[in-house]
Amino acid sequence: MQRQGSGGSAAVVVRVAGFVLLLAHLLLVAWVSLRPRDVAWVTAPNTIPLHGLRTVLALGGAEAARLIGEGLLLLAPLGVLLPMADGRLHVSGWASLARTTAAGALVSLAIELLQTAVPGQVVDVDSVLLNTVGVALAHLLVVPAARSRLRRTGPPQGATPTISRVPIAP
């Protein structure tokens, strides 16, 4: 039985590829984010929103752009991979954006909470904000166009099947 909104075999391939790439990306992010750091000192945790960003902007143009770019790009692929793994083509764009952004925020928050147990890693609320914005931007830039293209290339979906009325036996 096909799931509503799937476009046939192309949708299945997209869904499987999205799921495999999603797992690979999450493993890579876990490896990068949760490795212990061998440092002589550790900065204090940042629990004040936008405080760390102000500090980064004070570093200057190139260094600030690099650090902000890293924060935006770390989880940005989730903005594309989560809808791919879901595989629905006919869905509200706003609902998809909200679901994907919320999932990205939760993954980012989970990473930050797990970092509290890793030596040399500290919590930074600004990285949760940057990661979430990165997921939302990636979703907005790629998913609507990709869904539109898949809808055009997939086979037309037939009418919704109906069950004819069956009279009740006397």
Side-chain angles (χ1 to χ4, degrees):
M1 182 170 154
Q2 280 189 344
R3 191 171 164 180
Q4 181 183 3
S6 68
S9 64
V12 172
V13 170
V14 168
R15 187 178 306 144
V16 171
F19 185 73
V20 169
L21 291 171
L22 176 65
L23 287 177
H25 178 69
L26 288 176
L27 287 172
L28 177 68
V29 167
W31 180 73
V32 167
S33 301
L34 300 175
R35 286 183 302 162
R37 291 186 181 168
D38 188 25
V39 294
W41 55 272
V42 177
T43 60
N46 174 25
T47 56
I48 302 168
L50 304 178
H51 181 69
L53 286 175
R54 283 189 219 110
T55 305
V56 166
L57 290 172
L59 294 174
E63 185 66 15
R66 184 185 68 80
L67 291 172
I68 290 173
E70 285 176 1
L72 289 172
L73 293 175
L74 180 66
L75 293 181
L78 292 182
V80 177
L81 296 175
L82 286 171
M84 271 180 72
D86 183 40
R88 289 188 279 181
L89 295 178
H90 303 284
V91 65
S92 165
W94 293 110
S96 176
L97 176 64
R99 269 193 314 269
T100 304
T101 303
L106 289 174
V107 168
S108 181
L109 184 61
I111 289 169
E112 289 300 317
L113 292 176
L114 287 171
Q115 282 181 341
T116 61
V118 178
Q121 299 280 2
V122 293
V123 174
D124 185 5
V125 71
D126 291 337
S127 65
V128 173
L129 295 173
L130 285 173
N131 293 337
T132 304
V133 169
V135 168
L137 286 175
H139 185 281
L140 286 171
L141 292 174
V142 176
V143 172
R147 278 194 178 135
S148 175
R149 182 166 186 221
L150 283 172
R151 276 189 228 121
R152 283 193 311 264
T153 60
Q157 187 164 348
T160 304
T162 58
I163 299 173
S164 58
R165 291 197 159 264
V166 178
I168 299 176

